[in-house]
């Protein structure tokens, strides 16, 4: 084991942490309501070894899961690497064996055929099992209490797609998990496999189809009756991959396609809507009212991912990358390609989240990371795009009211996570948990805010003595769910 | 669990870490010789809970053991709290229950009778068992591989002293451990119990005696034939303890006493040498040539411990606290109290260490932390006395040559640890391991230096992604010793 290169991805707040951690009874300023019982899980990339090719994308790091377990007014932190196939092979070799993101052409020959998944993107608990996800591979099961890795999970051989999204949705009404794999037959294939997994953990529906062009289908929308696939031109190219260029690139010349299918439909039922070039990646929520289908996304004029460069070499355009929450709606009862877009607020941001009890349903409250595009770009400041998130925003879709918490200029924030006040509390009645990077102190905090009063600031600050690397996505699960799944 | 007060003991580099850690295959700059096989263990205080009385001494924190395991050119870090009686009682209560250092009068009544030991001072492996030590209590056995706590160890009831030094010596010739307890019948008692424990882990010799006045007998000297007790006036007072003042205080009006006893003698054989007031605490080594007994200590005119204030209220005198290695010698063949003192070098410092294969024997090479007394005092800069250690010094007693490594102004160093190049290498032929605090980055490094070429700088730097709190003492054990003791 040598050392990491002196690049923004590996220095400053981005310095790989590489540590497995336990801190019981974390230091708290303020008070944590004693009836909060559950855990906030988040995934983050943290390369165990220096990059094989001398550099790598931040989010190609090995997956680490952090668990913040809240009980009786106390918080315990646990952090573990997911023992993916990649992690185990590289740990045994004592060095990186996998090359570039979504590009097998530069891998060490000894790892041919192994899963390239890093399990670094999201954590979900469904049907009594917890999984860590990377969208290029199968879910990796982990124990929700100990965070020990149990192994790759293909639902008893039922998931034939080589990949599975990190943004599967869990329907709070049926208990189904709705997911899909894109690049389902391998990198840059146009094939998509769609799956519905019942609350018993069995695959109950499956269909395959092809998209108009292969692309980074990072997220999607699910409503009670429909499922919505987004084809946005962050396009994949095996040719670029072979040449050592990023596999994915932004192609401003291409239209956007939205495919809508009944939730239990087949590829033949897919209806494609075609619109002018624009960018979106994550989905706040989707719902339908009869045949009217809505999906809410942070939409921007152009590519938000500077690490996936423009295929024509055009430089990254920060202004055009500014995304605002936008509601797209489609009327399936009409034969034309009608596609309405309505801006839902003025905040510029990404990483949208909701009260997950309202996933797939009409909903009122949304949360997101808010970016001030005028702030200086900081390549190793702990944010993935280089843009500092220094606000968490709340948008009330019923009133249009926006509220936010500003963390100051010396900190930045990560994806918010909503925690219901109780199992029966009203939508949006609860808390927001969010990790804050404290740059000057090389330290992180977890902030607990009232989800309806963000601007009033944290009710409690869980002060961590160490720096946690910036993460991607996370979720909250109640104590009873965790205990049941952990003792399965 | 609330939060720590805004005091130097708990802020900046001194912020409690409170974390249990595993980092396999640490990042390394340079090369670690692949034949180094063993581990550097060090103890450090790290309070799990904010102080019961609003403040506390740095070194009264709960004991944490860090293990740096070297093998095949790689280093794994593991850090665990010692589950002392105190740790377990406080963890169960979720708050501090013990009050001031060596002062039971302010403890929570629920912990009366429990061991107050923190196991935060040193780690030794003897007779196939590893122990963590605090001099006010019994050793606490830990597993040398997992660092799990096995429990208090009183050698099958043979250690009747309530206390046991953190600086027991292991005789490399006989395999005996030579130790003692002061305050052996409780705080501020003049009783000392002396023990020799064989390589089979059985107590083979014991004697009790009283010292001229009760004091902080932190270390002592052992030679092949004698044992040397140091009575230096860091005096204990139950009266001060009851009033809430520090139990220990510096009394410049008192003489120093040195008690010398045959190694298998009884208290009746003790011969006391009396000299003028001066200060010393740690012992580099001791040896005898016939009836001539030598003990090497960093000696200063006055108290080096600002946290144990002058009993008359006189302010701490940094200049008088500057200690230099000094050889004290005593001729037991003569009836007078002859006591010679010879300065061994010019470096100002403390935390002396040697090639432990020469403990109790005539020796040539000594190492110590070197202080530049002109550097600014930094109360939370990660050094225990507030003085920054920015050099590690080597003194060759055969030639008088001094050599040192200077770490720069933005770092400080901790106690060095000698690692023999091989089991059969000559004295001093090996490496020095030393932890460096990197203030600006809130991070620590472990430096590996050639023990005979300190000024040439590190052969390798083990770059840690996190800050480790400043520690007290540590030791190196070879891989075969660790494996045998771990799998006992």
């Amino acid at each position: 084991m040598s050392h990491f290169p002196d690049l923004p991805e590996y220095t400053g707040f981005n310095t790989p942490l590489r540590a497995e951690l336990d801190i019981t009874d974390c230091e708290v300023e303020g008070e944590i309501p004693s009836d909060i019982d559950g855990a906030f899980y988040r995934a983050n990339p943290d390369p165990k070894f220096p990059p094989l090719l001398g550099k790598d994308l931040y989010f190609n790091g090995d997956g680490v899961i952090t668990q913040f377990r809240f009980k009786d007014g106390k918080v315990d932190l646990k952090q573990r690497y997911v023992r993916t196939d990649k992690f185990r092979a590289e740990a045994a070799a004592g060095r990186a064996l996998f090359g570039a993101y979504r590009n097998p052409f530069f891998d060490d020959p000894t790892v041919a055929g192994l899963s390239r998944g890093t399990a670094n993107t999201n954590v979900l608990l469904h049907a009594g099992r917890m999984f860590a996800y990377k969208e290029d591979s199968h879910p990796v099961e982990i124990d929700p209490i100990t965070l020990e890795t149990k192994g790759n999970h293909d639902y008893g051989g039922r998931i034939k797609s080589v990949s599975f999204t990190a943004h599967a949705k869990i329907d709070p009404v049926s208990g189904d998990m709705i997911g899909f794999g894109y690049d389902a037959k391998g990198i840059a294939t146009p094939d998509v496999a769609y799956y519905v997994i019942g609350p018993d953990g069995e695959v109950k529906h499956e269909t395959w189809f092809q998209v108009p062009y292969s692309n980074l289908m990072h997220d999607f929308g699910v409503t009670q009756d429909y499922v919505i696939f987004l084809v946005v031109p962050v396009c994949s190219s095996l040719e670029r991959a072979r040449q050592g260029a990023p596999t994915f690139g932004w192609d401003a010349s291409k239209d956007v396609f939205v495919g809508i299918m009944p939730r239990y439909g087949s590829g033949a039922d897919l209806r494609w809507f075609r619109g002018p070039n624009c960018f979106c990646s994550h989905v706040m929520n989707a719902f339908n009212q009869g045949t009217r289908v809505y999906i809410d996304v942070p939409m921007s004029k152009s590519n938000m991912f500077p690490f996936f460069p423009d295929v024509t070499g055009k430089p990254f355009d920060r202004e055009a990358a500014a995304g605002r929450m936008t509601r797209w709606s489609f009327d399936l009862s009409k034969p034309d390609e009608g596609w309405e877009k309505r801006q839902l607020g003025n905040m510029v941001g990404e990483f949208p989240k909701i009260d997950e009890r309202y996933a797939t349903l009409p909903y009122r409250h949304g949360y997101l990371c808010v970016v001030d595009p005028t702030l200086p770009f900081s390549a190793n400041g702990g944010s993935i795009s280089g843009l500092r998130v220094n606000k968490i925003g709340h948008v009330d879709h019923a009133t249009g009211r926006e509220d936010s918490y500003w963390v100051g200029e010396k900190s930045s924030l990560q994806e918010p996570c909503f925690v219901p006040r109780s199992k029966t509390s009203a939508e949006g009645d609860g808390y927001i948990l969010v990790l804050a990077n404290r740059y000057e102190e090389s330290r992180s905090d977890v902030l607990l805010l009232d989800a309806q009063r963000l601007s009033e600031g944290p009710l409690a600050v869980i002060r961590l003595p160490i720096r946690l690397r910036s993460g991607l996505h996370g979720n909250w699960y109640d104590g009873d769910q965790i205990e049941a799944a952990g003792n399965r």
Side-chain angles (χ1 to χ4, degrees), chain A residues 37 56 77 229 258-259 269 291 327 383 394 410 449 460 471 474 483:
Chain A
D37 178 5
D56 200 358
L77 179 161
F229 298 100
V258 175
D269 304 319
T291 52
R327 179 160 293 174
S383 111
H394 167 211
K410 292 170 183 170
L449 299 112
E483 293 300 327

mmCIF file of all heavy atoms in Angstrom, chain A residues 37 56 77 229 258-259 269 291 327 383 394 410 449 460 471 474 483:
data_model
loop_
_atom_site.group_PDB
_atom_site.id
_atom_site.type_symbol
_atom_site.label_atom_id
_atom_site.label_comp_id
_atom_site.label_asym_id
_atom_site.label_seq_id
_atom_site.Cartn_x
_atom_site.Cartn_y
_atom_site.Cartn_z
ATOM 1 N N ASP A 37 -36.520 6.763 17.682
ATOM 2 C CA ASP A 37 -35.960 5.408 17.780
ATOM 3 C C ASP A 37 -35.797 4.863 16.365
ATOM 4 O O ASP A 37 -36.782 4.535 15.704
ATOM 5 C CB ASP A 37 -36.896 4.519 18.602
ATOM 6 C CG ASP A 37 -36.396 3.074 18.695
ATOM 7 O OD1 ASP A 37 -35.285 2.781 18.202
ATOM 8 O OD2 ASP A 37 -37.136 2.235 19.248
ATOM 9 N N ASP A 56 -9.210 8.769 -10.368
ATOM 10 C CA ASP A 56 -10.513 8.112 -10.470
ATOM 11 C C ASP A 56 -11.579 9.136 -10.057
ATOM 12 O O ASP A 56 -11.268 10.159 -9.439
ATOM 13 C CB ASP A 56 -10.551 6.887 -9.543
ATOM 14 C CG ASP A 56 -11.640 5.891 -9.921
ATOM 15 O OD1 ASP A 56 -12.393 6.151 -10.879
ATOM 16 O OD2 ASP A 56 -11.743 4.854 -9.248
ATOM 17 N N LEU A 77 -22.677 5.952 16.567
ATOM 18 C CA LEU A 77 -22.214 5.919 15.175
ATOM 19 C C LEU A 77 -21.460 4.624 14.913
ATOM 20 O O LEU A 77 -20.630 4.201 15.724
ATOM 21 C CB LEU A 77 -21.279 7.110 14.937
ATOM 22 C CG LEU A 77 -20.646 7.283 13.552
ATOM 23 C CD1 LEU A 77 -20.168 8.719 13.401
ATOM 24 C CD2 LEU A 77 -19.477 6.360 13.296
ATOM 25 N N PHE A 229 -39.593 6.225 -16.692
ATOM 26 C CA PHE A 229 -38.153 6.108 -16.971
ATOM 27 C C PHE A 229 -37.656 7.366 -17.663
ATOM 28 O O PHE A 229 -38.315 7.883 -18.558
ATOM 29 C CB PHE A 229 -37.887 4.884 -17.852
ATOM 30 C CG PHE A 229 -38.286 3.595 -17.174
ATOM 31 C CD1 PHE A 229 -39.503 2.975 -17.471
ATOM 32 C CD2 PHE A 229 -37.458 3.021 -16.214
ATOM 33 C CE1 PHE A 229 -39.883 1.805 -16.826
ATOM 34 C CE2 PHE A 229 -37.833 1.846 -15.568
ATOM 35 C CZ PHE A 229 -39.051 1.238 -15.868
ATOM 36 N N VAL A 258 -39.030 10.411 -22.056
ATOM 37 C CA VAL A 258 -39.638 9.941 -20.811
ATOM 38 C C VAL A 258 -40.552 8.772 -21.180
ATOM 39 O O VAL A 258 -41.458 8.935 -22.000
ATOM 40 C CB VAL A 258 -40.434 11.060 -20.120
ATOM 41 C CG1 VAL A 258 -41.157 10.520 -18.885
ATOM 42 C CG2 VAL A 258 -39.522 12.218 -19.734
ATOM 43 N N GLY A 259 -40.252 7.619 -20.575
ATOM 44 C CA GLY A 259 -41.062 6.434 -20.868
ATOM 45 C C GLY A 259 -41.991 6.136 -19.709
ATOM 46 O O GLY A 259 -41.536 6.032 -18.572
ATOM 47 N N ASP A 269 -46.040 -1.987 -23.395
ATOM 48 C CA ASP A 269 -46.987 -0.952 -22.943
ATOM 49 C C ASP A 269 -46.328 0.402 -22.747
ATOM 50 O O ASP A 269 -46.985 1.378 -22.405
ATOM 51 C CB ASP A 269 -47.591 -1.355 -21.586
ATOM 52 C CG ASP A 269 -48.262 -2.711 -21.636
ATOM 53 O OD1 ASP A 269 -48.934 -2.981 -22.647
ATOM 54 O OD2 ASP A 269 -48.111 -3.486 -20.664
ATOM 55 N N THR A 291 -55.121 9.224 -15.097
ATOM 56 C CA THR A 291 -54.152 9.065 -16.180
ATOM 57 C C THR A 291 -53.206 10.260 -16.278
ATOM 58 O O THR A 291 -52.424 10.363 -17.222
ATOM 59 C CB THR A 291 -54.890 8.897 -17.519
ATOM 60 O OG1 THR A 291 -55.817 9.982 -17.659
ATOM 61 C CG2 THR A 291 -55.647 7.573 -17.564
ATOM 62 N N ARG A 327 -41.964 20.390 -11.998
ATOM 63 C CA ARG A 327 -42.949 19.295 -12.100
ATOM 64 C C ARG A 327 -43.247 19.029 -13.565
ATOM 65 O O ARG A 327 -43.718 19.914 -14.283
ATOM 66 C CB ARG A 327 -44.221 19.657 -11.337
ATOM 67 C CG ARG A 327 -45.313 18.587 -11.415
ATOM 68 C CD ARG A 327 -46.330 18.736 -10.296
ATOM 69 N NE ARG A 327 -45.723 18.441 -9.005
ATOM 70 C CZ ARG A 327 -46.341 18.592 -7.830
ATOM 71 N NH1 ARG A 327 -47.585 19.039 -7.786
ATOM 72 N NH2 ARG A 327 -45.708 18.308 -6.709
ATOM 73 N N SER A 383 -17.654 18.443 -1.541
ATOM 74 C CA SER A 383 -18.889 18.247 -2.289
ATOM 75 C C SER A 383 -18.511 17.543 -3.577
ATOM 76 O O SER A 383 -17.402 17.693 -4.104
ATOM 77 C CB SER A 383 -19.585 19.572 -2.536
ATOM 78 O OG SER A 383 -19.530 19.908 -3.887
ATOM 79 N N HIS A 394 -36.615 23.513 1.998
ATOM 80 C CA HIS A 394 -37.906 22.846 2.130
ATOM 81 C C HIS A 394 -38.866 23.575 1.203
ATOM 82 O O HIS A 394 -38.954 24.798 1.230
ATOM 83 C CB HIS A 394 -38.366 22.952 3.600
ATOM 84 C CG HIS A 394 -39.804 22.572 3.812
ATOM 85 N ND1 HIS A 394 -40.585 23.139 4.807
ATOM 86 C CD2 HIS A 394 -40.611 21.688 3.173
ATOM 87 C CE1 HIS A 394 -41.795 22.613 4.775
ATOM 88 N NE2 HIS A 394 -41.847 21.732 3.800
ATOM 89 N N LYS A 410 -18.356 28.384 6.145
ATOM 90 C CA LYS A 410 -17.231 27.506 6.470
ATOM 91 C C LYS A 410 -17.641 26.043 6.574
ATOM 92 O O LYS A 410 -16.883 25.207 7.037
ATOM 93 C CB LYS A 410 -16.579 27.962 7.770
ATOM 94 C CG LYS A 410 -15.888 29.306 7.602
ATOM 95 C CD LYS A 410 -15.456 29.880 8.920
ATOM 96 C CE LYS A 410 -14.833 31.258 8.707
ATOM 97 N NZ LYS A 410 -14.613 31.950 9.982
ATOM 98 N N LEU A 449 -32.935 18.979 12.562
ATOM 99 C CA LEU A 449 -33.760 20.185 12.432
ATOM 100 C C LEU A 449 -35.231 19.796 12.453
ATOM 101 O O LEU A 449 -35.591 18.655 12.121
ATOM 102 C CB LEU A 449 -33.454 20.890 11.111
ATOM 103 C CG LEU A 449 -32.008 21.378 10.936
ATOM 104 C CD1 LEU A 449 -31.312 20.582 9.851
ATOM 105 C CD2 LEU A 449 -31.960 22.861 10.612
ATOM 106 N N ALA A 460 -30.705 20.082 17.598
ATOM 107 C CA ALA A 460 -29.560 19.409 18.221
ATOM 108 C C ALA A 460 -28.459 19.251 17.177
ATOM 109 O O ALA A 460 -28.731 19.109 15.982
ATOM 110 C CB ALA A 460 -29.962 18.032 18.756
ATOM 111 N N GLY A 471 -21.004 11.957 1.511
ATOM 112 C CA GLY A 471 -21.711 10.772 1.070
ATOM 113 C C GLY A 471 -22.669 11.054 -0.062
ATOM 114 O O GLY A 471 -22.809 12.189 -0.529
ATOM 115 N N GLY A 474 -28.953 8.388 1.569
ATOM 116 C CA GLY A 474 -29.212 7.660 2.801
ATOM 117 C C GLY A 474 -30.686 7.633 3.125
ATOM 118 O O GLY A 474 -31.504 8.295 2.470
ATOM 119 N N GLU A 483 -34.540 -3.890 14.107
ATOM 120 C CA GLU A 483 -34.402 -5.044 15.006
ATOM 121 C C GLU A 483 -34.918 -6.317 14.325
ATOM 122 O O GLU A 483 -34.282 -7.369 14.400
ATOM 123 C CB GLU A 483 -35.155 -4.806 16.323
ATOM 124 C CG GLU A 483 -34.569 -3.688 17.189
ATOM 125 C CD GLU A 483 -33.127 -3.927 17.613
ATOM 126 O OE1 GLU A 483 -32.751 -5.103 17.814
ATOM 127 O OE2 GLU A 483 -32.358 -2.943 17.717
#
